Amino acid sequence: MFRHKGKRRTYFHNLKLASALSFVAGTVNIVGVLSVKILTTNITGHFAFFSEEILFKKHLPAFIYLLFIFFFLMGSFISSFIVEFLSAHKKKRPHLVPILIETGLLTFVGLSGFKEMKLISSQDSIAYILLFAMGIQNSLVTRVSLSVVRTTHLTGLFTDLGIDLSQLFFKNVGIRHRQIKKSIFLKLAIILCFFCGCIIGGLLYKVFYIKTLLFTSGFLLFIVWSDSILYRYYYLKRKLR
């Protein structure tokens, strides 16, 4: 799911990656909205709010929205920098560090739900951390899939889905027609898993509140573990042939 690149990367690799991490993003999205009333998986709306606050000369709120944008950007930058640095030094699993950082951040925010721990004092701080974590995830997924998969927001996906659906009404023969159908299925999988993450995350939030993010952290660790197991299995299988 993470290791294969270029010609070695298949449609199935992208489908697994898209399904798993869009579910994570959907969960983080609903937990962010319910806990701090802030969108934490994308920054489109924050630009509008930033402009609004500037228009009404509310400079402090405007600066906070600017920080939301900045933290998402920094998450993306750091994720890409780490992958590039480790790849340049011939490390076998350059994706692992960004995933573990994201997992650690989500765990930290989830643990803040225990009142006795008092880890985070403000709602804005929670938003900063979650936006940073989602910047890490979106950058990592984009690099690994060669820009085929996005998992933290759906605007571009719905645009691409509309384009692909429109092409079905015209005569596309052979492999081109199959590619369009596969592209549509991939986008629908991302949308569905994001939606499921929102629904399941919302249901869990009713019981566990922001501690729901601990389940998300556990799911990320399971993804990394299962991907490693599958990689070793197929590696040994090829060697034994």
Side-chain angles (χ1 to χ4, degrees), residues 164-207:
D164 287 342
L165 287 171
S166 71
Q167 294 184 48
L168 292 179
F169 289 88
F170 298 91
K171 291 184 179 180
N172 296 289
V173 294
I175 190 169
R176 174 64 180 159
H177 196 65
R178 291 195 298 272
Q179 287 175 343
I180 292 172
K181 286 186 175 180
K182 288 169 69 175
S183 177
I184 289 172
F185 185 79
L186 177 64
K187 292 174 178 63
L188 288 175
I190 296 173
I191 292 168
L192 179 62
C193 290
F194 190 95
F195 177 71
C196 289
C198 287
I199 296 298
I200 294 174
L203 293 173
L204 289 172
Y205 188 86
K206 286 185 176 181
V207 180

mmCIF file of all heavy atoms in Angstrom, residues 164-207:
data_model
loop_
_atom_site.group_PDB
_atom_site.id
_atom_site.type_symbol
_atom_site.label_atom_id
_atom_site.label_comp_id
_atom_site.label_asym_id
_atom_site.label_seq_id
_atom_site.Cartn_x
_atom_site.Cartn_y
_atom_site.Cartn_z
ATOM 1 N N ASP A 164 -15.267 12.360 -15.047
ATOM 2 C CA ASP A 164 -15.230 10.948 -15.459
ATOM 3 C C ASP A 164 -16.617 10.443 -15.856
ATOM 4 O O ASP A 164 -16.764 9.726 -16.848
ATOM 5 C CB ASP A 164 -14.672 10.083 -14.324
ATOM 6 C CG ASP A 164 -13.173 10.253 -14.140
ATOM 7 O OD1 ASP A 164 -12.526 10.761 -15.071
ATOM 8 O OD2 ASP A 164 -12.666 9.885 -13.069
ATOM 9 N N LEU A 165 -17.632 10.805 -15.076
ATOM 10 C CA LEU A 165 -18.990 10.355 -15.382
ATOM 11 C C LEU A 165 -19.461 10.892 -16.728
ATOM 12 O O LEU A 165 -20.147 10.198 -17.484
ATOM 13 C CB LEU A 165 -19.946 10.799 -14.277
ATOM 14 C CG LEU A 165 -19.831 10.047 -12.943
ATOM 15 C CD1 LEU A 165 -20.677 10.731 -11.869
ATOM 16 C CD2 LEU A 165 -20.263 8.593 -13.099
ATOM 17 N N SER A 166 -19.093 12.129 -17.026
ATOM 18 C CA SER A 166 -19.512 12.716 -18.306
ATOM 19 C C SER A 166 -18.919 11.960 -19.493
ATOM 20 O O SER A 166 -19.547 11.852 -20.550
ATOM 21 C CB SER A 166 -19.101 14.193 -18.373
ATOM 22 O OG SER A 166 -17.695 14.336 -18.519
ATOM 23 N N GLN A 167 -17.711 11.410 -19.302
ATOM 24 C CA GLN A 167 -17.045 10.710 -20.403
ATOM 25 C C GLN A 167 -17.702 9.375 -20.729
ATOM 26 O O GLN A 167 -17.508 8.833 -21.822
ATOM 27 C CB GLN A 167 -15.571 10.501 -20.063
ATOM 28 C CG GLN A 167 -14.784 11.803 -19.981
ATOM 29 C CD GLN A 167 -13.306 11.566 -19.737
ATOM 30 O OE1 GLN A 167 -12.683 10.746 -20.405
ATOM 31 N NE2 GLN A 167 -12.734 12.290 -18.797
ATOM 32 N N LEU A 168 -18.495 8.851 -19.782
ATOM 33 C CA LEU A 168 -19.192 7.594 -20.045
ATOM 34 C C LEU A 168 -20.278 7.737 -21.102
ATOM 35 O O LEU A 168 -20.745 6.740 -21.663
ATOM 36 C CB LEU A 168 -19.804 7.057 -18.747
ATOM 37 C CG LEU A 168 -18.835 6.583 -17.667
ATOM 38 C CD1 LEU A 168 -19.600 6.119 -16.446
ATOM 39 C CD2 LEU A 168 -17.931 5.469 -18.183
ATOM 40 N N PHE A 169 -20.705 8.960 -21.342
ATOM 41 C CA PHE A 169 -21.762 9.199 -22.325
ATOM 42 C C PHE A 169 -21.216 9.309 -23.753
ATOM 43 O O PHE A 169 -21.970 9.499 -24.699
ATOM 44 C CB PHE A 169 -22.537 10.473 -21.974
ATOM 45 C CG PHE A 169 -23.404 10.319 -20.769
ATOM 46 C CD1 PHE A 169 -22.899 10.563 -19.498
ATOM 47 C CD2 PHE A 169 -24.724 9.902 -20.885
ATOM 48 C CE1 PHE A 169 -23.689 10.418 -18.373
ATOM 49 C CE2 PHE A 169 -25.530 9.755 -19.755
ATOM 50 C CZ PHE A 169 -25.010 10.009 -18.496
ATOM 51 N N PHE A 170 -19.905 9.181 -23.880
ATOM 52 C CA PHE A 170 -19.294 9.238 -25.204
ATOM 53 C C PHE A 170 -18.617 7.901 -25.505
ATOM 54 O O PHE A 170 -18.357 7.099 -24.603
ATOM 55 C CB PHE A 170 -18.284 10.386 -25.279
ATOM 56 C CG PHE A 170 -18.916 11.733 -25.054
ATOM 57 C CD1 PHE A 170 -18.994 12.269 -23.768
ATOM 58 C CD2 PHE A 170 -19.449 12.454 -26.109
ATOM 59 C CE1 PHE A 170 -19.589 13.502 -23.548
ATOM 60 C CE2 PHE A 170 -20.053 13.683 -25.905
ATOM 61 C CZ PHE A 170 -20.122 14.217 -24.623
ATOM 62 N N LYS A 171 -18.343 7.673 -26.744
ATOM 63 C CA LYS A 171 -17.806 6.389 -27.164
ATOM 64 C C LYS A 171 -16.326 6.282 -26.818
ATOM 65 O O LYS A 171 -15.471 6.886 -27.456
ATOM 66 C CB LYS A 171 -18.010 6.195 -28.665
ATOM 67 C CG LYS A 171 -19.472 5.997 -29.047
ATOM 68 C CD LYS A 171 -19.605 5.722 -30.535
ATOM 69 C CE LYS A 171 -21.079 5.494 -30.909
ATOM 70 N NZ LYS A 171 -21.231 5.232 -32.349
ATOM 71 N N ASN A 172 -16.065 5.519 -25.770
ATOM 72 C CA ASN A 172 -14.676 5.220 -25.401
ATOM 73 C C ASN A 172 -14.488 3.723 -25.525
ATOM 74 O O ASN A 172 -15.222 2.946 -24.913
ATOM 75 C CB ASN A 172 -14.391 5.657 -23.963
ATOM 76 C CG ASN A 172 -14.501 7.159 -23.801
ATOM 77 O OD1 ASN A 172 -13.662 7.889 -24.281
ATOM 78 N ND2 ASN A 172 -15.562 7.616 -23.143
ATOM 79 N N VAL A 173 -13.538 3.294 -26.283
ATOM 80 C CA VAL A 173 -13.400 1.871 -26.547
ATOM 81 C C VAL A 173 -12.213 1.280 -25.802
ATOM 82 O O VAL A 173 -11.263 1.972 -25.458
ATOM 83 C CB VAL A 173 -13.231 1.604 -28.065
ATOM 84 C CG1 VAL A 173 -14.496 1.977 -28.813
ATOM 85 C CG2 VAL A 173 -12.031 2.364 -28.632
ATOM 86 N N GLY A 174 -12.321 -0.023 -25.560
ATOM 87 C CA GLY A 174 -11.199 -0.776 -25.034
ATOM 88 C C GLY A 174 -10.707 -0.317 -23.680
ATOM 89 O O GLY A 174 -11.478 -0.057 -22.760
ATOM 90 N N ILE A 175 -9.391 -0.207 -23.592
ATOM 91 C CA ILE A 175 -8.734 0.061 -22.307
ATOM 92 C C ILE A 175 -9.110 1.423 -21.731
ATOM 93 O O ILE A 175 -9.187 1.597 -20.524
ATOM 94 C CB ILE A 175 -7.199 -0.066 -22.454
ATOM 95 C CG1 ILE A 175 -6.531 -0.035 -21.085
ATOM 96 C CG2 ILE A 175 -6.651 1.029 -23.371
ATOM 97 C CD1 ILE A 175 -5.072 -0.413 -21.143
ATOM 98 N N ARG A 176 -9.361 2.409 -22.576
ATOM 99 C CA ARG A 176 -9.738 3.741 -22.111
ATOM 100 C C ARG A 176 -11.037 3.698 -21.320
ATOM 101 O O ARG A 176 -11.168 4.332 -20.280
ATOM 102 C CB ARG A 176 -9.864 4.674 -23.320
ATOM 103 C CG ARG A 176 -10.400 6.066 -23.009
ATOM 104 C CD ARG A 176 -9.468 6.830 -22.119
ATOM 105 N NE ARG A 176 -9.990 8.158 -21.832
ATOM 106 C CZ ARG A 176 -9.615 8.892 -20.807
ATOM 107 N NH1 ARG A 176 -8.728 8.423 -19.941
ATOM 108 N NH2 ARG A 176 -10.114 10.096 -20.627
ATOM 109 N N HIS A 177 -12.005 2.927 -21.813
ATOM 110 C CA HIS A 177 -13.290 2.815 -21.135
ATOM 111 C C HIS A 177 -13.114 2.147 -19.772
ATOM 112 O O HIS A 177 -13.712 2.564 -18.778
ATOM 113 C CB HIS A 177 -14.253 2.006 -22.005
ATOM 114 C CG HIS A 177 -15.682 2.138 -21.595
ATOM 115 N ND1 HIS A 177 -16.373 3.321 -21.674
ATOM 116 C CD2 HIS A 177 -16.543 1.230 -21.084
ATOM 117 C CE1 HIS A 177 -17.605 3.142 -21.247
ATOM 118 N NE2 HIS A 177 -17.736 1.884 -20.875
ATOM 119 N N ARG A 178 -12.293 1.113 -19.710
ATOM 120 C CA ARG A 178 -12.037 0.413 -18.447
ATOM 121 C C ARG A 178 -11.329 1.326 -17.445
ATOM 122 O O ARG A 178 -11.620 1.301 -16.246
ATOM 123 C CB ARG A 178 -11.213 -0.845 -18.697
ATOM 124 C CG ARG A 178 -11.960 -1.942 -19.457
ATOM 125 C CD ARG A 178 -11.246 -3.273 -19.353
ATOM 126 N NE ARG A 178 -9.921 -3.220 -19.941
ATOM 127 C CZ ARG A 178 -9.670 -3.458 -21.219
ATOM 128 N NH1 ARG A 178 -10.663 -3.761 -22.052
ATOM 129 N NH2 ARG A 178 -8.438 -3.423 -21.698
ATOM 130 N N GLN A 179 -10.405 2.139 -17.921
ATOM 131 C CA GLN A 179 -9.682 3.058 -17.045
ATOM 132 C C GLN A 179 -10.621 4.085 -16.419
ATOM 133 O O GLN A 179 -10.486 4.430 -15.246
ATOM 134 C CB GLN A 179 -8.575 3.763 -17.828
ATOM 135 C CG GLN A 179 -7.387 2.868 -18.151
ATOM 136 C CD GLN A 179 -6.356 3.559 -19.030
ATOM 137 O OE1 GLN A 179 -6.641 4.578 -19.663
ATOM 138 N NE2 GLN A 179 -5.154 3.001 -19.082
ATOM 139 N N ILE A 180 -11.567 4.575 -17.201
ATOM 140 C CA ILE A 180 -12.526 5.548 -16.682
ATOM 141 C C ILE A 180 -13.376 4.913 -15.587
ATOM 142 O O ILE A 180 -13.607 5.519 -14.536
ATOM 143 C CB ILE A 180 -13.416 6.092 -17.818
ATOM 144 C CG1 ILE A 180 -12.589 6.943 -18.769
ATOM 145 C CG2 ILE A 180 -14.567 6.931 -17.246
ATOM 146 C CD1 ILE A 180 -13.333 7.362 -20.021
ATOM 147 N N LYS A 181 -13.828 3.688 -15.822
ATOM 148 C CA LYS A 181 -14.648 2.998 -14.818
ATOM 149 C C LYS A 181 -13.862 2.747 -13.539
ATOM 150 O O LYS A 181 -14.387 2.903 -12.429
ATOM 151 C CB LYS A 181 -15.167 1.679 -15.394
ATOM 152 C CG LYS A 181 -16.277 1.850 -16.421
ATOM 153 C CD LYS A 181 -16.834 0.505 -16.843
ATOM 154 C CE LYS A 181 -18.028 0.689 -17.784
ATOM 155 N NZ LYS A 181 -18.606 -0.609 -18.210
ATOM 156 N N LYS A 182 -12.603 2.363 -13.686
ATOM 157 C CA LYS A 182 -11.763 2.147 -12.499
ATOM 158 C C LYS A 182 -11.531 3.446 -11.749
ATOM 159 O O LYS A 182 -11.531 3.476 -10.514
ATOM 160 C CB LYS A 182 -10.424 1.523 -12.928
ATOM 161 C CG LYS A 182 -10.538 0.072 -13.363
ATOM 162 C CD LYS A 182 -9.273 -0.431 -14.030
ATOM 163 C CE LYS A 182 -8.140 -0.546 -13.064
ATOM 164 N NZ LYS A 182 -6.926 -1.145 -13.695
ATOM 165 N N SER A 183 -11.338 4.541 -12.479
ATOM 166 C CA SER A 183 -11.145 5.850 -11.855
ATOM 167 C C SER A 183 -12.399 6.271 -11.090
ATOM 168 O O SER A 183 -12.311 6.801 -9.974
ATOM 169 C CB SER A 183 -10.810 6.888 -12.921
ATOM 170 O OG SER A 183 -10.689 8.177 -12.356
ATOM 171 N N ILE A 184 -13.566 6.023 -11.668
ATOM 172 C CA ILE A 184 -14.833 6.354 -11.005
ATOM 173 C C ILE A 184 -14.989 5.542 -9.726
ATOM 174 O O ILE A 184 -15.363 6.067 -8.678
ATOM 175 C CB ILE A 184 -16.017 6.097 -11.958
ATOM 176 C CG1 ILE A 184 -16.032 7.142 -13.077
ATOM 177 C CG2 ILE A 184 -17.347 6.119 -11.202
ATOM 178 C CD1 ILE A 184 -17.043 6.870 -14.169
ATOM 179 N N PHE A 185 -14.674 4.252 -9.811
ATOM 180 C CA PHE A 185 -14.808 3.388 -8.633
ATOM 181 C C PHE A 185 -13.871 3.825 -7.514
ATOM 182 O O PHE A 185 -14.247 3.822 -6.333
ATOM 183 C CB PHE A 185 -14.516 1.933 -9.017
ATOM 184 C CG PHE A 185 -14.755 0.965 -7.896
ATOM 185 C CD1 PHE A 185 -16.033 0.548 -7.571
ATOM 186 C CD2 PHE A 185 -13.688 0.472 -7.143
ATOM 187 C CE1 PHE A 185 -16.263 -0.336 -6.527
ATOM 188 C CE2 PHE A 185 -13.898 -0.409 -6.095
ATOM 189 C CZ PHE A 185 -15.201 -0.814 -5.798
ATOM 190 N N LEU A 186 -12.647 4.217 -7.874
ATOM 191 C CA LEU A 186 -11.685 4.684 -6.874
ATOM 192 C C LEU A 186 -12.212 5.927 -6.158
ATOM 193 O O LEU A 186 -12.155 6.024 -4.924
ATOM 194 C CB LEU A 186 -10.350 4.987 -7.535
ATOM 195 C CG LEU A 186 -9.248 5.565 -6.635
ATOM 196 C CD1 LEU A 186 -8.847 4.565 -5.565
ATOM 197 C CD2 LEU A 186 -8.025 5.961 -7.460
ATOM 198 N N LYS A 187 -12.734 6.877 -6.915
ATOM 199 C CA LYS A 187 -13.250 8.114 -6.325
ATOM 200 C C LYS A 187 -14.476 7.842 -5.455
ATOM 201 O O LYS A 187 -14.633 8.440 -4.380
ATOM 202 C CB LYS A 187 -13.570 9.125 -7.420
ATOM 203 C CG LYS A 187 -12.322 9.641 -8.142
ATOM 204 C CD LYS A 187 -12.676 10.527 -9.305
ATOM 205 C CE LYS A 187 -11.419 11.072 -9.982
ATOM 206 N NZ LYS A 187 -10.574 10.018 -10.578
ATOM 207 N N LEU A 188 -15.338 6.946 -5.918
ATOM 208 C CA LEU A 188 -16.514 6.588 -5.119
ATOM 209 C C LEU A 188 -16.103 5.903 -3.820
ATOM 210 O O LEU A 188 -16.730 6.118 -2.770
ATOM 211 C CB LEU A 188 -17.445 5.679 -5.922
ATOM 212 C CG LEU A 188 -18.217 6.345 -7.065
ATOM 213 C CD1 LEU A 188 -18.999 5.305 -7.854
ATOM 214 C CD2 LEU A 188 -19.167 7.416 -6.519
ATOM 215 N N ALA A 189 -15.037 5.103 -3.870
ATOM 216 C CA ALA A 189 -14.537 4.437 -2.661
ATOM 217 C C ALA A 189 -14.036 5.460 -1.646
ATOM 218 O O ALA A 189 -14.306 5.342 -0.439
ATOM 219 C CB ALA A 189 -13.424 3.456 -3.027
ATOM 220 N N ILE A 190 -13.313 6.470 -2.120
ATOM 221 C CA ILE A 190 -12.817 7.519 -1.220
ATOM 222 C C ILE A 190 -13.981 8.264 -0.588
ATOM 223 O O ILE A 190 -14.014 8.481 0.633
ATOM 224 C CB ILE A 190 -11.908 8.505 -1.989
ATOM 225 C CG1 ILE A 190 -10.659 7.799 -2.504
ATOM 226 C CG2 ILE A 190 -11.513 9.677 -1.084
ATOM 227 C CD1 ILE A 190 -9.800 8.657 -3.411
ATOM 228 N N ILE A 191 -14.955 8.648 -1.400
ATOM 229 C CA ILE A 191 -16.111 9.394 -0.902
ATOM 230 C C ILE A 191 -16.889 8.568 0.109
ATOM 231 O O ILE A 191 -17.274 9.063 1.182
ATOM 232 C CB ILE A 191 -17.017 9.818 -2.075
ATOM 233 C CG1 ILE A 191 -16.296 10.856 -2.942
ATOM 234 C CG2 ILE A 191 -18.346 10.379 -1.567
ATOM 235 C CD1 ILE A 191 -16.965 11.115 -4.271
ATOM 236 N N LEU A 192 -17.128 7.295 -0.214
ATOM 237 C CA LEU A 192 -17.883 6.421 0.682
ATOM 238 C C LEU A 192 -17.154 6.206 2.001
ATOM 239 O O LEU A 192 -17.769 6.274 3.080
ATOM 240 C CB LEU A 192 -18.131 5.072 -0.005
ATOM 241 C CG LEU A 192 -18.887 4.039 0.830
ATOM 242 C CD1 LEU A 192 -20.281 4.542 1.189
ATOM 243 C CD2 LEU A 192 -18.979 2.711 0.084
ATOM 244 N N CYS A 193 -15.853 5.960 1.945
ATOM 245 C CA CYS A 193 -15.082 5.717 3.171
ATOM 246 C C CYS A 193 -14.971 6.979 4.013
ATOM 247 O O CYS A 193 -15.004 6.914 5.249
ATOM 248 C CB CYS A 193 -13.696 5.171 2.830
ATOM 249 S SG CYS A 193 -13.718 3.486 2.191
ATOM 250 N N PHE A 194 -14.832 8.136 3.367
ATOM 251 C CA PHE A 194 -14.824 9.395 4.104
ATOM 252 C C PHE A 194 -16.160 9.580 4.819
ATOM 253 O O PHE A 194 -16.209 9.958 5.994
ATOM 254 C CB PHE A 194 -14.576 10.556 3.139
ATOM 255 C CG PHE A 194 -14.319 11.880 3.806
ATOM 256 C CD1 PHE A 194 -13.021 12.313 4.053
ATOM 257 C CD2 PHE A 194 -15.369 12.703 4.197
ATOM 258 C CE1 PHE A 194 -12.783 13.540 4.675
ATOM 259 C CE2 PHE A 194 -15.146 13.915 4.808
ATOM 260 C CZ PHE A 194 -13.845 14.339 5.048
ATOM 261 N N PHE A 195 -17.249 9.308 4.101
ATOM 262 C CA PHE A 195 -18.586 9.425 4.671
ATOM 263 C C PHE A 195 -18.766 8.449 5.843
ATOM 264 O O PHE A 195 -19.297 8.815 6.901
ATOM 265 C CB PHE A 195 -19.630 9.157 3.583
ATOM 266 C CG PHE A 195 -21.045 9.178 4.064
ATOM 267 C CD1 PHE A 195 -21.656 10.370 4.429
ATOM 268 C CD2 PHE A 195 -21.786 8.004 4.145
ATOM 269 C CE1 PHE A 195 -22.966 10.393 4.871
ATOM 270 C CE2 PHE A 195 -23.096 8.014 4.588
ATOM 271 C CZ PHE A 195 -23.692 9.213 4.951
ATOM 272 N N CYS A 196 -18.309 7.205 5.667
ATOM 273 C CA CYS A 196 -18.401 6.213 6.747
ATOM 274 C C CYS A 196 -17.590 6.648 7.958
ATOM 275 O O CYS A 196 -18.015 6.459 9.109
ATOM 276 C CB CYS A 196 -17.911 4.852 6.256
ATOM 277 S SG CYS A 196 -19.025 4.047 5.099
ATOM 278 N N GLY A 197 -16.405 7.243 7.704
ATOM 279 C CA GLY A 197 -15.601 7.753 8.804
ATOM 280 C C GLY A 197 -16.337 8.839 9.577
ATOM 281 O O GLY A 197 -16.300 8.872 10.814
ATOM 282 N N CYS A 198 -17.032 9.707 8.850
ATOM 283 C CA CYS A 198 -17.812 10.773 9.503
ATOM 284 C C CYS A 198 -18.941 10.189 10.350
ATOM 285 O O CYS A 198 -19.159 10.610 11.496
ATOM 286 C CB CYS A 198 -18.396 11.716 8.452
ATOM 287 S SG CYS A 198 -17.193 12.802 7.670
ATOM 288 N N ILE A 199 -19.672 9.220 9.789
ATOM 289 C CA ILE A 199 -20.807 8.631 10.503
ATOM 290 C C ILE A 199 -20.350 7.849 11.730
ATOM 291 O O ILE A 199 -20.843 8.048 12.847
ATOM 292 C CB ILE A 199 -21.627 7.715 9.569
ATOM 293 C CG1 ILE A 199 -22.248 8.525 8.426
ATOM 294 C CG2 ILE A 199 -22.710 6.972 10.354
ATOM 295 C CD1 ILE A 199 -23.227 9.596 8.887
ATOM 296 N N ILE A 200 -19.391 6.942 11.528
ATOM 297 C CA ILE A 200 -18.906 6.115 12.642
ATOM 298 C C ILE A 200 -18.209 6.983 13.683
ATOM 299 O O ILE A 200 -18.387 6.796 14.896
ATOM 300 C CB ILE A 200 -17.969 5.013 12.121
ATOM 301 C CG1 ILE A 200 -18.762 4.038 11.245
ATOM 302 C CG2 ILE A 200 -17.289 4.275 13.280
ATOM 303 C CD1 ILE A 200 -17.926 2.993 10.546
ATOM 304 N N GLY A 201 -17.414 7.962 13.221
ATOM 305 C CA GLY A 201 -16.755 8.877 14.151
ATOM 306 C C GLY A 201 -17.767 9.669 14.958
ATOM 307 O O GLY A 201 -17.586 9.891 16.164
ATOM 308 N N GLY A 202 -18.856 10.089 14.304
ATOM 309 C CA GLY A 202 -19.902 10.827 15.013
ATOM 310 C C GLY A 202 -20.590 9.979 16.069
ATOM 311 O O GLY A 202 -20.872 10.451 17.181
ATOM 312 N N LEU A 203 -20.845 8.714 15.730
ATOM 313 C CA LEU A 203 -21.482 7.811 16.700
ATOM 314 C C LEU A 203 -20.562 7.548 17.892
ATOM 315 O O LEU A 203 -21.010 7.515 19.051
ATOM 316 C CB LEU A 203 -21.854 6.497 16.014
ATOM 317 C CG LEU A 203 -22.960 6.585 14.950
ATOM 318 C CD1 LEU A 203 -23.110 5.253 14.225
ATOM 319 C CD2 LEU A 203 -24.291 7.000 15.587
ATOM 320 N N LEU A 204 -19.278 7.349 17.600
ATOM 321 C CA LEU A 204 -18.316 7.128 18.685
ATOM 322 C C LEU A 204 -18.159 8.384 19.542
ATOM 323 O O LEU A 204 -17.982 8.291 20.767
ATOM 324 C CB LEU A 204 -16.956 6.719 18.109
ATOM 325 C CG LEU A 204 -16.859 5.319 17.500
ATOM 326 C CD1 LEU A 204 -15.521 5.126 16.808
ATOM 327 C CD2 LEU A 204 -17.060 4.259 18.579
ATOM 328 N N TYR A 205 -18.244 9.541 18.900
ATOM 329 C CA TYR A 205 -18.087 10.795 19.634
ATOM 330 C C TYR A 205 -19.182 10.962 20.689
ATOM 331 O O TYR A 205 -18.943 11.558 21.746
ATOM 332 C CB TYR A 205 -18.106 11.987 18.671
ATOM 333 C CG TYR A 205 -17.766 13.296 19.339
ATOM 334 C CD1 TYR A 205 -16.440 13.692 19.494
ATOM 335 C CD2 TYR A 205 -18.765 14.126 19.844
ATOM 336 C CE1 TYR A 205 -16.123 14.887 20.120
ATOM 337 C CE2 TYR A 205 -18.458 15.321 20.477
ATOM 338 C CZ TYR A 205 -17.139 15.701 20.613
ATOM 339 O OH TYR A 205 -16.834 16.879 21.255
ATOM 340 N N LYS A 206 -20.366 10.458 20.412
ATOM 341 C CA LYS A 206 -21.459 10.555 21.383
ATOM 342 C C LYS A 206 -21.110 9.872 22.701
ATOM 343 O O LYS A 206 -21.611 10.251 23.760
ATOM 344 C CB LYS A 206 -22.729 9.926 20.807
ATOM 345 C CG LYS A 206 -23.415 10.756 19.740
ATOM 346 C CD LYS A 206 -24.724 10.103 19.316
ATOM 347 C CE LYS A 206 -25.473 10.977 18.327
ATOM 348 N NZ LYS A 206 -26.772 10.364 17.933
ATOM 349 N N VAL A 207 -20.257 8.874 22.615
ATOM 350 C CA VAL A 207 -19.879 8.102 23.808
ATOM 351 C C VAL A 207 -18.520 8.536 24.354
ATOM 352 O O VAL A 207 -18.357 8.731 25.567
ATOM 353 C CB VAL A 207 -19.838 6.593 23.482
ATOM 354 C CG1 VAL A 207 -19.442 5.784 24.727
ATOM 355 C CG2 VAL A 207 -21.175 6.124 22.940
#
